[in-house]
Amino acid sequence: MLEQSVRQAILERQRRGQSVRAIARALHVSRAAVRDVLRRGSAEVPQLARPEKALAHREDILRLLQECAGSFTRVHEELTQAGLQLSYPAFTAFCRRHGIGQAPKQPAGHYDFAPGQEMPHDTSPHTLPLGGTGRRAQTASLVLGYSRMLFFQFYPQFRRFECKVFLTEAFRYLDGVAQTCLIDNTHVVVLKGTGRDMIPVPEMAAFAERFGFTFVAHAVGDANRSARVERMFRFIERGFLPGRHFTDWADANRHAREWCDRVNTRPKRHLRATPRELFATEHPALRRLPRWIPEPYLLHERLVDVEGYITLHTNHYSVPTAFIGRRLEVRETQNRVVMYEGPREVAAHDREVEPRNRHVFRPEHRPPRGQGWRHEREPFPEEKDLLRLLPEIEAYLGGLKRRGKLQTTLALRQLLRMAREYPREPVLTAIQTAAHYGLYDLGRLERMVLRGLATTYFQLPRSLDPPPGDRDDEPTDGRTPAAAQEPAPEPDGPGPA
């Protein structure tokens, strides 16, 4: 059947005096069709008067539709059993034409936003080609209502923690924040209520207050209100995901950011500009970011097990063995897992995004093989006194504690006594000699000290000869020293009785 515009062209050419053949050749239609239009003399398309088989059963259709709880399939089965020869597509077309079982269609609305007024945010599940397999991922997206600037990322799950991480990254990407953030009554943000009566969770309300915006929820079922962000999920599904493969989550999010940079510079036909060009107008209207943006994190408390690990989401992270048995504060950020003891950082690891029961280990958290781990302890009081008197013997004290025969405390006390009772130089000389030969017997060490004292402090000068009769080696029986060295002769006869 010819369109109304073609019929109008046929009548116009006939008024100009063209023949039927010329009109048919110019408009690429048959001569019979041209004659039919000229015979009618009107450009209106005639209505086809075809009898409808289901028109006589209209009342039965209305009754069966109510009895079958609105199921068109069951109504068609009942009519077929009653003898009506009508296909299912023809039956549903009859119902659409006559408005049977169809809600009246309402025209879609149109929303206009001023620069910096609103930024819709939403999430949608997608299958992400990750590491050679398809992984279920949550795609989080945010769009500026005026310029249509797009930013999206992928997450294995989407909780309040991931929501704060994503919004922080989006605000940094846009270098600003709009006045309101439109959401779809998600439980991640909503505490209670819907639409205008929505009350956000205090945690998310505090997050919004830090950046200077407000969470707003649209009415339930009002899909047009969030169409600008919902439409982007179809754009991502058909324009970004096909043909791409990613090694891990960080690789997927890096490609997503690069893709956003490209599509935000492409012209849009309905905007007659690029989102980047409109963003240049909207950016001055956005609210500035705080000078310091704290990194969102989840706070946990964990006990270090006997193997020197803390467990977080089935993954195990190593800790120095000195903290075995202690409770540590664990902060889980987007990319790191940091352990604290009070205000001090104990260890840090790259965060495993998914629970995989993996052991994340750092070599510096374990002592070298064969050396074991010795707990650092405060030095003994005697050791402090010895190092204060003789700081040069620190290495000898370490060997004495490891290889001494006496108990460490008793050995240190005995050595401290020698350092206090004897002069410094002989004691230091004896200790240096003992250290050279690996001698840690304190009895022998003290004899070495005494020998040094005897040869250094008690040696008489050889130039002074004592007077006769005062020498210790002079005999008292009047003999010469040489004769005194010989034994006295024995008497020949028997001695007195």
Side-chain angles (χ1 to χ4, degrees):
M1 184 176 292
L2 299 180
E3 296 180 356
Q4 186 172 347
S5 59
V6 178
R7 294 172 179 270
Q8 185 68 33
I10 292 174
L11 296 176
E12 182 67 23
R13 288 176 178 271
Q14 193 270 339
R15 283 194 294 268
R16 293 179 183 179
Q18 294 184 6
S19 64
V20 173
R21 183 185 297 274
I23 296 174
R25 184 178 301 171
L27 298 180
H28 301 284
V29 295
S30 65
R31 285 176 287 177
V34 173
R35 293 191 185 96
D36 182 69
V37 172
L38 296 178
R39 184 172 57 253
R40 292 179 181 275
S42 174
E44 295 183 0
V45 180
Q47 296 288 340
L48 295 179
R50 294 179 179 176
E52 295 181 328
K53 294 182 179 180
L55 185 61
H57 303 273
R58 177 184 174 87
E59 298 299 329
D60 296 334
I61 293 175
L62 293 175
R63 175 179 56 81
L64 291 173
L65 191 65
Q66 186 176 4
E67 294 178 358
C68 298
S71 174
F72 286 95
T73 303
R74 288 287 301 117
V75 173
H76 181 258
E77 291 178 357
E78 294 292 334
L79 293 176
T80 303
Q81 293 177 1
L84 177 62
Q85 300 296 325
L86 186 67
S87 65
Y88 182 76
F91 166 70
T92 55
F94 171 81
C95 294
R96 285 194 299 272
R97 286 193 300 271
H98 292 267
I100 299 175
Q102 305 289 329
K105 297 182 179 180
Q106 300 293 333
H110 181 73
Y111 297 94
D112 293 320
F113 300 100
Q117 179 182 353
E118 186 171 288
M119 48 182 183
H121 160 60
D122 200 1
T123 59
S124 178
H126 287 104
T127 300
L128 192 66
L130 200 67
T133 60
R135 307 293 292 278
R136 198 65 172 172
Q138 291 292 330
T139 306
S141 174
L142 185 135
V143 180
L144 288 179
Y146 175 78
S147 62
R148 316 295 175 87
M149 283 284 289
L150 169 66
F151 181 78
F152 70 94
Q153 295 281 270
F154 299 102
Y155 301 93
Q157 56 182 341
F158 202 77
R159 304 164 296 176
R160 294 192 184 107
F161 169 64
E162 284 80 11
C163 181
K164 291 189 289 186
V165 168
F166 168 73
L167 291 179
T168 302
E169 291 294 320
F171 298 158
R172 285 174 173 166
Y173 179 81
L174 300 173
D175 191 28
V177 182
Q179 298 177 9
T180 59
C181 180
L182 181 70
I183 58 174
D184 62 346
N185 301 285
T186 173
H187 68 281
V188 175
V189 179
V190 176
L191 177 64
K192 61 179 181 179
T194 59
R196 296 181 179 180
D197 300 328
M198 187 273 295
I199 299 177
V201 178
E203 177 183 354
M204 301 305 296
F207 175 81
E209 183 179 359
R210 178 183 295 119
F211 287 94
F213 70 95
T214 306
F215 283 108
V216 176
H218 63 71
V220 177
D222 189 4
N224 292 332
R225 186 69 175 85
S226 59
R228 297 194 177 180
V229 68
E230 293 286 354
R231 188 183 300 114
M232 291 302 176
F233 292 125
R234 181 184 179 91
F235 185 37
I236 293 169
E237 185 175 353
R238 294 192 174 186
F240 176 74
L241 292 178
R244 281 188 168 90
H245 302 277
F246 313 104
T247 57
D248 52 18
W249 293 96
D251 183 46
N253 289 331
R254 183 170 57 254
H255 280 81
R257 181 184 288 267
E258 295 173 356
W259 193 71
C260 288
D261 293 336
R262 291 197 298 270
V263 298
N264 287 331
T265 57
R266 295 177 184 174
K268 294 185 179 294
R269 182 174 53 189
H270 59 283
L271 295 178
R272 298 181 180 180
T274 66
R276 184 66 67 178
E277 293 172 350
L278 296 178
F279 180 71
T281 304
E282 186 175 17
H283 184 260
L286 297 177
R287 298 185 177 180
R288 301 298 93 196
L289 298 178
R291 293 187 176 181
W292 179 70
I293 302 177
E295 188 176 10
Y297 64 86
L298 285 175
L299 187 62
H300 311 275
E301 185 178 350
R302 292 293 185 271
L303 182 68
V304 183
D305 59 20
V306 294
E307 296 181 357
Y309 289 89
I310 63 104
T311 303
L312 187 65
H313 308 312
T314 74
N315 296 314
H316 309 276
Y317 301 90
S318 66
V319 180
T321 54
F323 297 94
I324 290 178
R326 299 188 188 179
R327 287 193 174 274
L328 300 180
E329 179 183 288
V330 182
R331 297 184 184 181
E332 179 187 5
T333 65
Q334 180 183 7
N335 300 316
R336 302 177 69 212
V337 174
V338 187
M339 281 74 80
Y340 287 86
E341 185 185 34
R344 296 176 180 83
E345 181 178 325
V346 173
H349 294 275
D350 293 336
R351 173 175 173 260
E352 290 291 331
V353 181
E354 296 180 278
R356 297 182 178 179
N357 196 22
R358 294 186 59 184
H359 285 73
V360 183
F361 173 73
R362 299 185 65 176
E364 58 269 23
H365 293 166
R366 298 293 183 268
R369 187 176 182 87
Q371 295 185 8
W373 183 274
R374 291 179 176 83
H375 181 68
E376 296 293 335
R377 54 170 298 174
E378 290 292 329
F380 294 94
E382 295 83 359
E383 185 177 359
K384 294 181 180 179
D385 295 339
L386 280 169
L387 293 177
R388 186 171 60 253
L389 294 174
L390 302 172
E392 299 87 351
I393 67 171
E394 182 177 2
Y396 183 78
L397 289 180
L400 179 64
K401 290 189 292 184
R402 292 193 305 268
R403 301 172 57 183
K405 296 181 180 180
L406 296 177
Q407 186 180 359
T408 302
T409 306
L410 297 178
L412 292 176
R413 288 178 183 176
Q414 185 174 348
L415 189 59
L416 179 62
R417 176 185 59 79
M418 287 189 285
R420 289 174 175 174
E421 291 181 356
Y422 302 127
R424 186 177 187 279
E425 289 75 10
V427 175
L428 184 59
T429 303
I431 292 177
Q432 290 176 350
T433 304
H436 177 72
Y437 291 101
L439 177 62
Y440 298 102
D441 186 350
L442 296 184
R444 296 184 62 183
L445 178 65
E446 188 169 8
R447 288 196 294 271
M448 293 169 59
V449 174
L450 292 175
R451 188 181 304 114
L453 288 173
T455 57
T456 304
Y457 291 91
F458 299 100
Q459 184 176 7
L460 297 179
R462 297 181 179 180
S463 60
L464 297 179
D465 295 331
D470 293 342
R471 294 178 60 179
D472 295 337
D473 55 350
E474 185 176 355
T476 57
D477 54 358
R479 294 181 297 168
T480 62
Q485 294 178 0
E486 299 179 359
E490 296 183 357
D492 296 338

